[in-house]
Short mmCIF file of all heavy atoms in Angstrom, two decimals:
data_model
loop_
_atom_site.label_atom_id
_atom_site.label_comp_id
_atom_site.label_asym_id
_atom_site.label_seq_id
_atom_site.Cartn_x
_atom_site.Cartn_y
_atom_site.Cartn_z
N HIS A 113 -2.81 11.66 -6.88
CA HIS A 113 -1.76 12.67 -7.06
C HIS A 113 -0.52 12.06 -7.72
O HIS A 113 0.07 12.67 -8.63
CB HIS A 113 -1.39 13.27 -5.70
CG HIS A 113 -0.23 14.22 -5.76
ND1 HIS A 113 -0.31 15.47 -6.33
CD2 HIS A 113 1.06 14.08 -5.33
CE1 HIS A 113 0.88 16.06 -6.26
NE2 HIS A 113 1.72 15.24 -5.67
N LEU A 114 -0.12 10.87 -7.28
CA LEU A 114 1.10 10.26 -7.80
C LEU A 114 0.91 9.66 -9.19
O LEU A 114 1.86 9.60 -9.97
CB LEU A 114 1.60 9.19 -6.82
CG LEU A 114 2.02 9.71 -5.44
CD1 LEU A 114 2.54 8.58 -4.57
CD2 LEU A 114 3.06 10.81 -5.55
N LEU A 115 -0.29 9.21 -9.47
CA LEU A 115 -0.56 8.69 -10.81
C LEU A 115 -0.80 9.82 -11.81
O LEU A 115 -0.49 9.70 -12.99
CB LEU A 115 -1.80 7.78 -10.79
CG LEU A 115 -1.65 6.41 -10.14
CD1 LEU A 115 -3.00 5.70 -10.11
CD2 LEU A 115 -0.62 5.54 -10.88
N GLY A 116 -1.41 10.90 -11.31
CA GLY A 116 -1.81 11.98 -12.20
C GLY A 116 -3.21 11.78 -12.74
O GLY A 116 -3.68 12.54 -13.59
N TYR A 117 -3.89 10.76 -12.24
CA TYR A 117 -5.28 10.46 -12.63
C TYR A 117 -5.87 9.55 -11.56
O TYR A 117 -5.13 8.88 -10.83
CB TYR A 117 -5.34 9.78 -14.00
CG TYR A 117 -4.44 8.57 -14.14
CD1 TYR A 117 -4.86 7.30 -13.73
CD2 TYR A 117 -3.16 8.69 -14.67
CE1 TYR A 117 -4.04 6.19 -13.85
CE2 TYR A 117 -2.32 7.58 -14.79
CZ TYR A 117 -2.77 6.34 -14.38
OH TYR A 117 -1.95 5.25 -14.49
N PRO A 118 -7.20 9.50 -11.43
CA PRO A 118 -7.80 8.62 -10.42
C PRO A 118 -7.52 7.15 -10.73
O PRO A 118 -7.44 6.74 -11.90
CB PRO A 118 -9.31 8.91 -10.53
CG PRO A 118 -9.40 10.24 -11.21
CD PRO A 118 -8.22 10.30 -12.13
N TYR A 119 -7.38 6.36 -9.69
CA TYR A 119 -7.21 4.92 -9.88
C TYR A 119 -8.45 4.35 -10.54
O TYR A 119 -9.57 4.70 -10.18
CB TYR A 119 -6.97 4.22 -8.54
CG TYR A 119 -6.47 2.80 -8.71
CD1 TYR A 119 -5.21 2.56 -9.23
CD2 TYR A 119 -7.27 1.71 -8.38
CE1 TYR A 119 -4.74 1.27 -9.40
CE2 TYR A 119 -6.80 0.41 -8.55
CZ TYR A 119 -5.53 0.21 -9.06
OH TYR A 119 -5.07 -1.08 -9.25
N PHE A 120 -8.25 3.47 -11.52
CA PHE A 120 -9.40 3.01 -12.29
C PHE A 120 -9.36 1.51 -12.56
O PHE A 120 -8.32 0.86 -12.48
CB PHE A 120 -9.51 3.78 -13.61
CG PHE A 120 -8.44 3.43 -14.63
CD1 PHE A 120 -8.64 2.42 -15.55
CD2 PHE A 120 -7.24 4.13 -14.66
CE1 PHE A 120 -7.66 2.09 -16.48
CE2 PHE A 120 -6.25 3.82 -15.60
CZ PHE A 120 -6.47 2.79 -16.51
N ILE A 121 -10.53 1.00 -12.91
CA ILE A 121 -10.70 -0.37 -13.37
C ILE A 121 -11.34 -0.30 -14.75
O ILE A 121 -12.37 0.36 -14.93
CB ILE A 121 -11.60 -1.20 -12.43
CG1 ILE A 121 -11.00 -1.22 -11.00
CG2 ILE A 121 -11.75 -2.62 -12.94
CD1 ILE A 121 -11.68 -0.27 -10.06
N LEU A 122 -10.73 -0.95 -15.70
CA LEU A 122 -11.24 -0.96 -17.08
C LEU A 122 -11.66 -2.38 -17.42
O LEU A 122 -10.90 -3.33 -17.21
CB LEU A 122 -10.15 -0.49 -18.04
CG LEU A 122 -10.53 -0.32 -19.50
CD1 LEU A 122 -11.46 0.88 -19.68
CD2 LEU A 122 -9.26 -0.12 -20.36
N GLY A 123 -12.87 -2.54 -17.91
CA GLY A 123 -13.31 -3.89 -18.24
C GLY A 123 -14.64 -3.93 -18.96
O GLY A 123 -15.27 -2.90 -19.22
N GLU A 124 -15.04 -5.14 -19.27
CA GLU A 124 -16.29 -5.36 -20.00
C GLU A 124 -17.42 -5.61 -19.00
O GLU A 124 -17.25 -6.31 -18.01
CB GLU A 124 -16.14 -6.58 -20.91
CG GLU A 124 -17.38 -6.92 -21.72
CD GLU A 124 -17.19 -8.17 -22.56
OE1 GLU A 124 -16.05 -8.43 -23.01
OE2 GLU A 124 -18.17 -8.93 -22.76
N VAL A 125 -18.56 -5.01 -19.28
CA VAL A 125 -19.72 -5.18 -18.41
C VAL A 125 -20.29 -6.58 -18.59
O VAL A 125 -20.61 -7.00 -19.71
CB VAL A 125 -20.81 -4.13 -18.73
CG1 VAL A 125 -22.05 -4.37 -17.86
CG2 VAL A 125 -20.27 -2.73 -18.51
N LYS A 126 -20.38 -7.30 -17.48
CA LYS A 126 -20.93 -8.66 -17.50
C LYS A 126 -22.24 -8.71 -16.71
O LYS A 126 -22.51 -7.86 -15.86
CB LYS A 126 -19.92 -9.64 -16.86
CG LYS A 126 -18.56 -9.67 -17.53
CD LYS A 126 -18.62 -10.37 -18.87
CE LYS A 126 -17.23 -10.48 -19.50
NZ LYS A 126 -16.33 -11.37 -18.76
N LYS A 127 -23.02 -9.73 -16.99
CA LYS A 127 -24.27 -9.89 -16.26
C LYS A 127 -24.00 -10.38 -14.84
O LYS A 127 -23.19 -11.26 -14.61
CB LYS A 127 -25.20 -10.89 -16.98
CG LYS A 127 -25.94 -10.28 -18.16
CD LYS A 127 -27.18 -11.06 -18.51
CE LYS A 127 -27.99 -10.32 -19.57
NZ LYS A 127 -29.27 -10.99 -19.86
N GLY A 128 -24.70 -9.77 -13.89
CA GLY A 128 -24.61 -10.21 -12.51
C GLY A 128 -25.92 -10.84 -12.08
O GLY A 128 -26.67 -11.39 -12.90
N LYS A 129 -26.22 -10.73 -10.81
CA LYS A 129 -27.45 -11.33 -10.29
C LYS A 129 -28.67 -10.44 -10.53
O LYS A 129 -29.81 -10.86 -10.30
CB LYS A 129 -27.30 -11.61 -8.79
CG LYS A 129 -26.16 -12.59 -8.48
CD LYS A 129 -26.06 -12.85 -6.99
CE LYS A 129 -24.85 -13.74 -6.69
NZ LYS A 129 -24.89 -15.03 -7.37
N GLN A 130 -28.42 -9.20 -10.96
CA GLN A 130 -29.48 -8.23 -11.30
C GLN A 130 -30.41 -7.93 -10.12
O GLN A 130 -31.56 -7.56 -10.31
CB GLN A 130 -30.28 -8.72 -12.51
CG GLN A 130 -29.42 -8.88 -13.77
CD GLN A 130 -30.22 -9.25 -14.99
OE1 GLN A 130 -30.95 -10.24 -15.00
NE2 GLN A 130 -30.09 -8.45 -16.04
N ILE A 131 -29.89 -8.08 -8.92
CA ILE A 131 -30.71 -7.79 -7.74
C ILE A 131 -30.91 -6.29 -7.57
O ILE A 131 -31.95 -5.83 -7.08
CB ILE A 131 -30.06 -8.42 -6.49
CG1 ILE A 131 -30.14 -9.95 -6.61
CG2 ILE A 131 -30.74 -7.96 -5.21
CD1 ILE A 131 -29.42 -10.69 -5.51
N GLY A 132 -29.92 -5.48 -8.03
CA GLY A 132 -30.06 -4.04 -7.91
C GLY A 132 -31.30 -3.52 -8.60
O GLY A 132 -31.93 -2.56 -8.13
N ARG A 133 -31.65 -4.14 -9.71
CA ARG A 133 -32.85 -3.70 -10.43
C ARG A 133 -34.10 -3.87 -9.59
O ARG A 133 -35.05 -3.08 -9.68
CB ARG A 133 -32.99 -4.48 -11.73
CG ARG A 133 -31.87 -4.23 -12.73
CD ARG A 133 -32.05 -5.04 -14.00
NE ARG A 133 -30.93 -4.83 -14.91
CZ ARG A 133 -30.84 -3.80 -15.75
NH1 ARG A 133 -31.82 -2.92 -15.79
NH2 ARG A 133 -29.79 -3.66 -16.54
N THR A 134 -34.12 -4.91 -8.77
CA THR A 134 -35.33 -5.18 -7.98
C THR A 134 -35.54 -4.18 -6.86
O THR A 134 -36.64 -4.06 -6.33
CB THR A 134 -35.27 -6.61 -7.38
OG1 THR A 134 -34.24 -6.66 -6.38
CG2 THR A 134 -34.99 -7.64 -8.45
N ILE A 135 -34.48 -3.44 -6.51
CA ILE A 135 -34.62 -2.44 -5.44
C ILE A 135 -34.45 -1.02 -5.98
O ILE A 135 -34.23 -0.07 -5.23
CB ILE A 135 -33.64 -2.70 -4.27
CG1 ILE A 135 -32.19 -2.70 -4.77
CG2 ILE A 135 -33.97 -4.02 -3.59
CD1 ILE A 135 -31.17 -2.82 -3.63
N GLY A 136 -34.50 -0.89 -7.30
CA GLY A 136 -34.49 0.43 -7.91
C GLY A 136 -33.13 1.06 -8.10
O GLY A 136 -33.04 2.25 -8.41
N VAL A 137 -32.06 0.28 -7.97
CA VAL A 137 -30.71 0.81 -8.17
C VAL A 137 -29.91 -0.16 -9.06
O VAL A 137 -29.06 -0.91 -8.58
CB VAL A 137 -29.96 1.07 -6.84
CG1 VAL A 137 -30.42 2.36 -6.21
CG2 VAL A 137 -30.14 -0.09 -5.86
N PRO A 138 -30.21 -0.18 -10.35
CA PRO A 138 -29.51 -1.10 -11.26
C PRO A 138 -28.01 -0.81 -11.28
O PRO A 138 -27.59 0.34 -11.13
CB PRO A 138 -30.15 -0.80 -12.62
CG PRO A 138 -30.72 0.57 -12.49
CD PRO A 138 -31.15 0.70 -11.06
N THR A 139 -27.23 -1.86 -11.47
CA THR A 139 -25.78 -1.72 -11.47
C THR A 139 -25.17 -2.40 -12.68
O THR A 139 -25.79 -3.25 -13.32
CB THR A 139 -25.17 -2.35 -10.20
OG1 THR A 139 -25.48 -3.75 -10.16
CG2 THR A 139 -25.68 -1.66 -8.95
N ILE A 140 -23.95 -2.00 -12.99
CA ILE A 140 -23.13 -2.70 -13.98
C ILE A 140 -22.03 -3.42 -13.22
O ILE A 140 -21.53 -2.94 -12.21
CB ILE A 140 -22.55 -1.75 -15.03
CG1 ILE A 140 -21.63 -0.70 -14.37
CG2 ILE A 140 -23.65 -1.08 -15.83
CD1 ILE A 140 -20.79 0.09 -15.35
N ASN A 141 -21.64 -4.58 -13.72
CA ASN A 141 -20.65 -5.42 -13.04
C ASN A 141 -19.40 -5.61 -13.90
O ASN A 141 -19.51 -5.92 -15.10
CB ASN A 141 -21.23 -6.80 -12.71
CG ASN A 141 -22.33 -6.72 -11.68
OD1 ASN A 141 -22.50 -5.72 -11.01
ND2 ASN A 141 -23.10 -7.79 -11.55
#
């Protein structure tokens, strides 16, 4: 409400441990 927009994080997607893929829920880091 005070910002006028949702709080956000802006950044570049980096490689992680890729464990999410092994359980069917891939993620971006």
Side-chain angles (χ1 to χ4, degrees):
H113 174 72
L114 297 182
L115 288 175
Y117 52 85
Y119 193 68
F120 71 90
I121 302 101
L122 185 70
E124 180 183 328
V125 177
K126 301 288 183 67
K127 281 202 172 185
K129 300 181 184 301
Q130 299 185 304
I131 292 174
R133 295 180 183 276
T134 68
I135 58 175
V137 281
T139 61
I140 61 168
N141 293 346

